[in-house]
Amino acid sequence: MPDAVPTVFIVDDDPDMRESLEYLLKSLGIVTKAYGSAGAFLTEFQTWQPGCLVCDVRMPDMSGLDLFEHLAAAGSHLPVILMTAYADVPMAIRALQSGVAEFIEKPFNAHLMLERIQRALAHDSERRASVSAWEEFACGMAELTEKERETLNMLLEGAANKVIASRLDISERAVEMRRASVMKKLQVTSLAELIRRVTQFELLFP
């Protein structure tokens, strides 16, 4: 996945709103790209790109909510802030149930919008860091040998080194060496952390 700077993507068919929001964000040093339609945005956006999307709800061809659902179906987890001057309860409920990060009515307070954008950017950064950490952990799991995995499974059962040695007909020193190798590959520093991380991993990625 290429490295990229977190970007606020603005999609709004109202040029005045689009340009004023873009100017505000750029004046604060926030990397921003603006588009006049969902189609224009989709021609450039890649699902791996970090940041957040600030999008108007009512637009021709594809609404903001339809755009969000399209991105979600494509595998994007980009946080989305929807803007609208014509909010209604069913629309808001659909947006929130679909997983939209925020739903803001126009006209909005600039400080409020900045706060929501910063929160969305922070959420995206935290999620990506978590995904990266689990990908690294998965690589460590894949590197375990058959014997190391056998030892790990017994450790997960709560078996002591002496018991593992007896069951596998090896020395306790051999068990200790396998255990140390497993912990090194999985980058953990204690048995408790090893058990917690492996248990979480197997629950998240069965």
Side-chain angles (χ1 to χ4, degrees), residues 125-139 197:
S125 177
E126 291 167 3
R127 185 194 63 78
R128 289 173 186 276
S130 177
V131 169
S132 178
W134 282 120
E135 287 176 345
E136 189 173 344
F137 191 84
C139 288
R197 293 279 287 169

Side-chain angles (χ1 to χ4, degrees), residues 134 137 156 194-204:
W134 282 120
F137 191 84
L156 294 175
L194 173 67
I195 293 172
R196 177 176 59 80
R197 293 279 287 169
V198 173
T199 301
Q200 289 177 332
F201 177 77
E202 293 182 341
L203 285 173
L204 291 170

Side-chain angles (χ1 to χ4, degrees), residues 4-193:
V5 177
T7 301
V8 177
F9 301 96
I10 302 168
V11 181
D12 196 325
D13 61 325
D14 180 342
D16 292 334
M17 174 60 70
R18 185 173 69 246
E19 290 168 11
S20 63
L21 186 53
E22 181 181 20
Y23 176 80
L24 172 65
L25 296 176
K26 286 185 174 180
S27 69
L28 295 172
I30 299 173
V31 178
T32 308
K33 290 185 178 181
Y35 305 86
S37 69
F41 166 71
L42 289 173
T43 59
E44 293 189 7
F45 180 72
Q46 301 293 322
T47 56
W48 52 259
Q49 290 181 278
C52 74
L53 170 63
V54 181
C55 183
D56 188 39
V57 170
R58 295 180 181 270
M59 297 186 295
D61 300 325
M62 180 182 285
S63 73
L65 192 49
D66 288 337
L67 172 58
F68 166 76
E69 292 173 345
H70 175 87
L71 290 173
S76 171
H77 296 280
L78 194 73
V80 175
I81 300 171
L82 289 181
M83 308 178 291
T84 182
Y86 310 97
D88 59 65
V89 174
M91 181 190 296
I93 291 175
R94 179 186 167 196
L96 295 174
Q97 287 181 338
S98 296
V100 170
E102 302 283 354
F103 194 79
I104 298 179
E105 291 187 57
K106 297 178 179 178
F108 49 78
N109 179 281
H111 292 292
L112 175 63
M113 175 60 83
L114 285 172
E115 178 187 307
R116 302 294 172 83
I117 287 174
Q118 289 169 344
R119 185 161 64 190
L121 290 174
H123 174 77
D124 186 60
S125 177
E126 291 167 3
R127 185 194 63 78
R128 289 173 186 276
S130 177
V131 169
S132 178
W134 282 120
E135 287 176 345
E136 189 173 344
F137 191 84
C139 288
M141 289 288 286
E143 291 176 3
L144 297 180
T145 66
E146 184 177 341
K147 291 181 178 179
E148 288 170 346
R149 187 67 203 226
E150 185 179 42
T151 302
L152 173 59
N153 288 337
M154 293 185 187
L155 288 171
L156 294 175
E157 293 171 2
N161 286 0
K162 185 175 182 179
V163 174
I164 296 174
S166 176
R167 287 168 63 180
L168 296 179
D169 195 24
I170 58 177
S171 68
E172 286 190 54
R173 177 59 180 162
V175 174
E176 290 171 0
M177 291 177 65
R178 289 187 191 180
R179 175 169 149 176
S181 179
V182 168
M183 293 176 68
K184 182 178 180 181
K185 289 179 179 179
L186 299 184
Q187 299 183 37
V188 296
T189 57
S190 69
L191 178 59
E193 184 184 6

